[in-house]
Amino acid sequence: MNSKDKILTLPDLQQQVEAWRSQGQQIVFTNGCFDILHLGHVDYLEKARQLGDKLVLGLNTDASISRIKGPSRPLQDEMSRARVMASLLFVDAVVFFDEDTPLELIKAIQPDILVKGDDYTVENIVGQDVVTARGGQVKTVPLVKGYSTTNVVKKIENRPNP
């Protein structure tokens, strides 16, 4: 499978999720910007995927990242970020969302398991009420300390010119 085949529109994703469910598979959902892939992302997504059978990744569009993080972000365009994320073997589908939060996407997908990093509390995870209302689970996974896109950017910016 080509990585771009994992990047789906919401209607196509909904059909895929329904097919997976008909096979008895549990759908895990997480979301983020994933601007520069680093060890923290890889570790987090690998742990998230281990909680179920299929991992769906909601990816912020460029416009939503700029609204949330400011005009200097994202560093990479959304299709570049999507292709990188889709290339990971433990990511089964990537879908874009343009809102500031993934709430509408979570409502549309109805994942069995909603996951975020342990920098969140379960009560503060967007969509937790939607998932638990239908009997799903909301979980946090431990993050690798010291890894973030912001830290990578700061390190690059502070590096002296050769």
Side-chain angles (χ1 to χ4, degrees):
M1 171 181 272
N2 291 323
S3 61
K4 58 184 163 185
D5 294 337
K6 292 184 186 179
I7 303 166
L8 304 175
T9 64
L10 181 55
D12 288 344
L13 177 61
Q14 288 172 306
Q15 283 186 325
Q16 183 61 68
V17 165
E18 212 38 59
W20 287 333
R21 277 212 177 94
S22 72
Q23 298 166 1
Q25 297 182 333
Q26 283 203 308
I27 311 304
V28 179
F29 176 85
T30 194
N31 68 281
C33 301
F34 301 99
D35 204 358
I36 297 177
L37 184 64
H38 54 71
L39 174 64
H41 290 145
V42 172
D43 187 75
Y44 166 72
L45 292 168
E46 195 169 44
K47 288 174 182 169
R49 173 62 164 72
Q50 291 169 355
L51 297 173
D53 300 306
K54 297 292 181 180
L55 177 61
V56 174
L57 179 90
L59 191 66
N60 290 78
T61 61
D62 292 349
S64 68
I65 293 174
S66 290
R67 285 193 307 271
I68 295 165
K69 296 188 179 274
S72 66
R73 298 281 294 276
L75 302 171
Q76 300 187 83
D77 67 87
E78 60 195 44
M79 191 50 73
S80 297
R81 292 182 291 111
R83 286 288 301 275
V84 168
M85 301 316 294
S87 74
L88 298 172
L89 57 96
F90 37 80
V91 173
D92 296 289
V94 176
V95 62
F96 293 109
F97 68 99
D98 195 46
E99 300 78 18
D100 291 350
T101 75
L103 182 59
E104 294 307 314
L105 190 52
I106 292 166
K107 288 178 182 177
I109 297 168
Q110 295 289 316
D112 301 298
I113 303 165
L114 175 60
V115 182
K116 289 297 280 181
D118 65 358
D119 53 338
Y120 286 82
T121 61
V122 169
E123 305 78 40
N124 292 330
I125 297 174
V126 169
Q128 60 87 16
D129 54 334
V130 173
V131 174
T132 56
R134 63 177 293 275
Q137 301 173 1
V138 180
K139 298 185 177 192
T140 61
V141 295
L143 297 176
V144 179
K145 302 296 181 221
Y147 285 89
S148 73
T149 299
T150 300
N151 287 348
V152 172
V153 170
K154 285 180 182 175
K155 186 173 183 178
I156 292 168
E157 288 175 342
N158 291 328
R159 183 168 286 167
N161 290 330

